[in-house]
Amino acid sequence: MDNASTTPVDPSVAEVIHNYFIKIFGNASSIHRFGREAREAVENSRQVVAKAIYAEEQEIIFTSGGTEADNLALKGIAFSDKYEGKHIITSVIEHSAILKTAKFLEKQGFEVTYLPVDREGLVSVDDVKTAIRTDTVLISVMHANNEIGTVQPLEEISKLTRANNIMLHTDAVQSIGKLNVDVNKLGIDLLSMSSHKIHGPKGAGALYIRKGTSIEPLLHGGGHEYNLRSGTENVPGIVGFAKAMELATTDLDKKASQMARLRDKIIDNVLERIDGSYLNGHRTKRLPNNANFRFDQINGEALILDLDMNGISASTGSACGSHADEPSHVLLALGLTNNEAEGSLRLTLSTETREDDVDYVLEVLPKSVIKLRALHPNLTEQ
Ligand code: PLP
């Protein structure tokens, strides 16, 4: 129930990867047979990843994952376009890979506008319009939020970026393999992806960069990845990521509606059967695999530990957020108080989640909530 944090590698992905560690182990830049085989694997993988998001292969730059893709997008565009303007727009509910990069860019002399969200986690298109300035070079709004699953109106935002000649980046780490991601329909110029959220290996991902976009690399060296990401290619990671991408996007509609059916079963049952429970995020504009609740008189961490003792792995917020003492910045941005944010629980499904798993959660969770409320009757009413 914590698939937004990470997922197990699909056995067929693991099988493919294995080959590229021990048999086809060449450096993709070598010109001998081992190198040529590795190069072919990298380029085939590029094609697969491109096709999955309706892009062209030369528009895919392999990275070490979502964090690096986000960094490359923001810093790369900011440093490339710094003579055209120094203003960037993003939202307050982005992943820390975006927010901390934006803070870094502020220290380098860029100005950043952080758009608020409404109670359901949606960015307002009117707010985007108002925030745009003549010196705005980049807008970065995530496709779907990792904690509450809210899906943002990117198609409408892209009409504004196109009309104003501004680059549009989106972090699609959570939406790939859950929603149909078409860079042309969405009007996206740069898009971040990560392999380990879709049953691929950790430490692999990519940034889509629309043809003709001028961008500065973060890593300088041998000129790999069209001079945009130097460093010997992680061939097993890249091949595994592509295989995972292929699996995740095949029959996506069917898989997404199956996940959405199980998600709705969880949401409907929890709200009906547990008093003082509320859904965080939008009811319909949300990822098919995300359910996020807050409960009156419950400490989210205590609930997670109790669920864990019953064999259910869940989360209070994002994986990194769960280790922090601070309540989630996403939940606070919805207008929740510290207490309300701390009484929240995120359950995230995958294509492998079965009806039995959901039934078990629905058996255990109401009992856990009742037990914890009885143990801590003085936890302040929220
Ligand atoms: N962006 C979002 C929305 C995420 O959920 C994550 C992972 O938690 C990342 C970026 C970072 O991706 P990676 O773990 O591949 O660096």
Side-chain angles (χ1 to χ4, degrees):
M1 290 292 142
D2 196 19
N3 288 283
S5 295
T6 198
T7 53
V9 171
D10 188 278
S12 65
V13 172
E15 200 179 310
V16 174
I17 292 177
H18 184 72
N19 231 359
Y20 286 88
F21 277 121
I22 55 170
K23 282 197 190 133
I24 312 171
F25 61 86
N27 181 324
S29 299
S30 300
I31 55 175
H32 52 62
R33 183 166 61 86
F34 290 108
R36 289 199 309 274
E37 282 174 353
R39 169 60 50 203
E40 197 183 330
V42 170
E43 296 315 320
N44 287 342
S45 301
R46 202 185 305 282
Q47 262 180 25
V48 170
V49 172
K51 190 165 160 236
I53 58 165
Y54 306 85
E56 293 177 24
E57 52 188 282
Q58 69 274 26
E59 296 177 315
I60 302 298
I61 301 298
F62 288 116
T63 65
S64 64
T67 301
E68 188 189 328
D70 284 347
N71 272 263
L72 177 57
L74 264 66
K75 293 177 191 162
I77 292 295
F79 291 137
S80 166
D81 290 352
K82 64 180 175 218
Y83 301 111
E84 287 164 39
K86 288 203 149 193
H87 180 234
I88 294 166
I89 299 171
T90 187
S91 84
V92 289
I93 60 162
E94 298 295 312
H95 189 269
S96 53
I98 294 290
L99 290 178
K100 295 217 173 134
T101 305
K103 289 280 171 221
F104 165 79
L105 287 170
E106 282 189 78
K107 280 198 240 147
Q108 308 300 310
F110 291 86
E111 278 183 65
V112 182
T113 300
Y114 298 89
L115 300 168
V117 292
D118 66 14
R119 279 205 73 94
E120 292 170 317
L122 279 171
V123 164
S124 135
V125 179
D126 278 341
D127 283 352
V128 178
K129 203 187 236 168
T130 313
I132 290 175
R133 310 189 327 202
T134 49
D135 62 342
T136 307
V137 287
L138 174 68
I139 298 183
S140 179
V141 172
M142 69 202 314
H143 192 191
N145 184 267
N146 45 305
E147 293 190 37
I148 52 171
T150 303
V151 180
Q152 301 297 341
L154 286 180
E155 268 184 77
E156 290 170 67
I157 295 173
S158 73
K159 287 188 191 126
L160 295 173
T161 50
R162 290 274 156 93
N164 291 280
N165 202 18
I166 296 167
M167 288 288 140
L168 178 59
H169 167 254
T170 193
D171 177 331
V173 166
Q174 295 289 345
S175 58
I176 293 281
K178 313 291 178 312
L179 306 174
N180 187 31
V181 177
D182 179 335
V183 288
N184 300 313
K185 253 197 212 149
L186 292 173
I188 299 298
D189 301 301
L190 304 111
L191 179 141
S192 302
M193 299 167 255
S194 176
S195 153
H196 73 100
K197 311 284 185 183
I198 54 166
H199 303 283
K202 293 169 180 59
L207 179 67
Y208 156 80
I209 308 174
R210 187 173 289 283
K211 231 179 356 198
T213 304
S214 151
I215 182 162
E216 278 292 320
L218 299 183
L219 302 180
H220 300 90
H224 308 75
E225 297 294 298
Y226 308 109
N227 267 325
L228 286 178
R229 204 273 181 179
S230 285
T232 302
E233 292 91 342
N234 169 12
V235 181
I238 289 171
V239 170
F241 169 40
K243 179 75 186 169
M245 206 52 177
E246 193 179 345
L247 293 175
T249 50
T250 304
D251 291 331
L252 176 59
D253 289 349
K254 208 169 112 200
K255 290 178 194 157
S257 48
Q258 163 73 357
M259 283 188 282
R261 191 181 66 74
L262 294 176
R263 170 202 68 188
D264 291 343
K265 183 170 180 179
I266 295 179
I267 292 176
D268 293 344
N269 273 277
V270 166
L271 296 181
E272 198 185 301
R273 288 167 46 197
I274 304 182
D275 288 342
S277 64
Y278 313 86
L279 184 69
N280 290 325
H282 199 281
R283 182 64 187 84
T284 53
K285 291 176 187 164
R286 80 184 297 135
L287 287 172
N289 70 326
N290 175 295
N292 190 319
F293 303 98
R294 81 182 163 81
F295 300 101
D296 285 341
Q297 283 180 283
I298 282 290
N299 174 283
E301 272 181 26
L303 181 57
I304 279 168
L305 292 176
D306 196 63
L307 292 175
D308 193 27
M309 286 199 287
N310 284 287
I312 298 170
S313 310
S315 154
T316 48
S318 67
C320 35
S322 299
H323 296 296
D325 291 336
E326 306 276 298
S328 141
H329 70 286
V330 175
L331 297 177
L332 295 182
L334 304 182
L336 268 58
T337 62
N338 280 5
N339 265 348
E340 288 170 338
E342 280 167 2
S344 292
L345 170 75
R346 180 184 75 173
L347 302 171
T348 46
L349 319 181
S350 86
T351 46
E352 291 175 4
T353 307
R354 298 182 322 258
E355 191 96 33
D356 283 0
D357 300 323
V358 167
D359 289 342
Y360 181 62
V361 170
L362 291 173
E363 185 193 318
V364 172
L365 180 58
K367 288 186 204 154
S368 281
V369 170
I370 290 171
K371 185 172 84 185
L372 291 174
R373 280 178 179 159
L375 276 175
H376 303 285
N378 297 329
L379 206 65
T380 43
E381 272 289 349
Q382 295 151 356

